[in-house]
Amino acid sequence: MEPPSALPRGGRVPWQDLLLAVSLLTLWNPPTTAQVTVESVPPSAAEGKDVRLQVHSLPRDTGRFNWFKGATAEENRRIVSYIVDAQKTIPGPAHSGRETVYPSGSLLFRNITLKDTGVYTLQFINSTYDTEQVTGQLHVFQPFAQPTLHASNTTLTEDDSVVLTCSINNTVVSIGWLFNGQSLTLMERMTLSQDNSTLTIRPVRKEDAGNYQCEVSNPGDSRKSDPVRLAVSYEGSTTGFPVGSTVGITVGVLVGLALVAALGCLLLRTRTGRASGWCDLRELCCPASTPRHGPTSSSKSQDSLPGPTTAIPVYQELRHPDTNIYCQINHKAEMAS
């Protein structure tokens, strides 16, 4: 009988023992060190601003670190060194007086210039003199003045065309367009030049009226022009309405006034209900005439007939619908020769 501690025949280890060995190796594996990275804050900046190369996850056992201008750690390109235990800063040959180093490893640049654009190398050394390095980068842009927006015409009628031109002092920028403070949505009637500096609207419509601006920007800065307002009216109308609409409104007003006047007379006649009121209305609306006391006679003597040029009084009898009172209106007419 084999002793309990003996290996199985064939020298094979049971699979349970293999699983236990793998588990122990996993538990004993030392943790992975976090990777050191360098970040530019902000990512890009205009000339004259301050920028920091921020270091993340610098090892705790770092005894010294050095900053170099460029992608290699060359002594003549060393900006600054820092000894952690002694908290001592040692400027290098490439130090300009505008750089400040921090115990965390970060490097601050004040009043950056275009010459500061480029790659920077951080070298860090631990207590056992093991050396590692990582790189970061600065992006610096030249600042630019406020752009100027010019319109070929600001007072337009529908079907006109207009050209808006954005003038800048820097070519390394991108140009965008704003309408009433919001990003402009291009219509089929709108065309941009190849560099986006010119916006053409052809033909103009009433919905194009409003404030336009151009905005120039680069990764480090952005500026907007002062707004330019376009006024758009209908052709042939200074009121902003089509000619047909203006005529229709005028006719409608006149008809309304006539209806109001007629309604006023009708209400006055209905409310009085008196013969005097009917006659007063007749006197107000029609000239006075000689009243008759009966119906017009159909027969006249031959001698009483007027001459060819004599004015003939024509009598028209109007009967009030509610009374037996007659009001006569005298009209004069000239007989034709």
Side-chain angles (χ1 to χ4, degrees):
M1 184 175 180
E2 296 178 356
S5 60
L7 291 175
R9 293 177 180 177
R12 291 177 293 181
V13 181
W15 66 269
Q16 294 92 344
D17 295 339
L18 288 175
L19 180 61
L20 176 61
V22 171
S23 300
L24 291 176
L25 288 174
T26 302
L27 292 175
W28 292 339
N29 189 32
T32 303
T33 305
Q35 185 177 3
V36 180
T37 58
V38 176
E39 176 191 12
S40 176
V41 182
S44 301
E47 190 175 21
K49 302 294 184 179
D50 295 347
V51 180
R52 184 175 70 256
L53 289 176
Q54 182 73 46
V55 178
H56 300 282
S57 305
L58 187 69
R60 293 183 179 181
D61 63 345
T62 299
R64 172 176 174 154
F65 55 83
N66 309 304
W67 276 104
F68 300 88
K69 175 69 179 293
T72 58
E74 300 177 11
E75 177 58 25
N76 63 338
R77 301 180 69 85
R78 183 172 59 88
I79 300 172
V80 66
S81 298
Y82 186 82
I83 301 175
V84 177
D85 292 340
Q87 297 183 357
K88 183 179 180 180
T89 301
I90 306 173
H95 193 274
S96 67
R98 297 179 292 107
E99 298 88 359
T100 302
V101 68
Y102 294 92
S104 63
S106 299
L107 182 65
L108 174 68
F109 294 80
R110 298 187 185 276
N111 192 26
I112 60 173
T113 67
L114 292 177
K115 294 181 179 180
D116 294 326
T117 300
V119 177
Y120 291 81
T121 299
L122 170 65
Q123 181 189 69
F124 48 98
I125 305 168
N126 62 18
S127 56
T128 60
Y129 300 101
D130 294 327
T131 302
E132 295 185 49
Q133 63 185 42
V134 65
T135 59
Q137 192 165 3
L138 285 183
H139 297 277
V140 184
F141 295 89
Q142 182 180 4
F144 42 84
Q146 182 182 23
T148 302
L149 183 60
H150 172 74
S152 59
N153 194 2
T154 57
T155 304
L156 307 160
T157 57
E158 284 199 320
D159 294 330
D160 283 346
S161 62
V162 63
V163 179
L164 299 166
T165 304
C166 185
S167 301
I168 56 176
N169 69 341
N170 194 320
T171 57
V172 190
V173 294
S174 61
I175 302 176
W177 290 87
L178 304 174
F179 177 62
N180 291 333
Q182 303 295 325
S183 180
L184 174 66
T185 300
L186 291 178
M187 304 295 182
E188 293 182 357
R189 300 174 288 101
M190 301 178 179
T191 305
L192 285 174
S193 61
Q194 187 174 2
D195 61 355
N196 284 8
S197 63
T198 301
L199 171 67
T200 303
I201 307 176
R202 182 187 299 114
V204 172
R205 294 288 180 256
K206 63 179 181 179
E207 57 266 25
D208 298 327
N211 293 323
Y212 290 81
Q213 290 174 281
C214 66
E215 181 178 20
V216 297
S217 61
N218 59 29
D221 197 8
S222 66
R223 299 291 297 274
K224 296 179 182 178
S225 69
D226 291 330
V228 171
R229 183 169 185 81
L230 298 185
V232 181
S233 63
Y234 290 93
E235 185 176 1
S237 173
T238 58
T239 60
F241 296 99
V243 176
S245 299
T246 304
V247 173
I249 292 174
T250 304
V251 172
V253 171
L254 294 177
V255 172
L257 291 175
L259 290 176
V260 170
L263 182 60
C265 291
L266 179 62
L267 290 176
L268 178 63
R269 188 182 71 175
T270 304
R271 292 178 62 184
T272 56
R274 299 195 301 270
S276 60
W278 173 245
C279 293
D280 289 343
L281 181 60
R282 184 264 306 170
E283 293 174 356
L284 178 63
C285 300
C286 306
S289 62
T290 305
R292 290 178 61 91
H293 300 288
T296 304
S297 175
S298 60
S299 61
K300 291 185 179 181
S301 63
Q302 187 69 24
D303 297 337
S304 63
L305 292 175
T309 60
T310 304
I312 301 175
V314 180
Y315 295 89
Q316 181 181 0
E317 296 178 353
L318 298 178
R319 180 181 179 87
H320 192 282
D322 299 328
T323 65
N324 294 323
I325 299 175
Y326 292 89
C327 298
Q328 299 176 346
I329 303 176
N330 185 9
H331 300 280
K332 293 182 179 181
E334 292 289 336
M335 292 185 61
S337 58

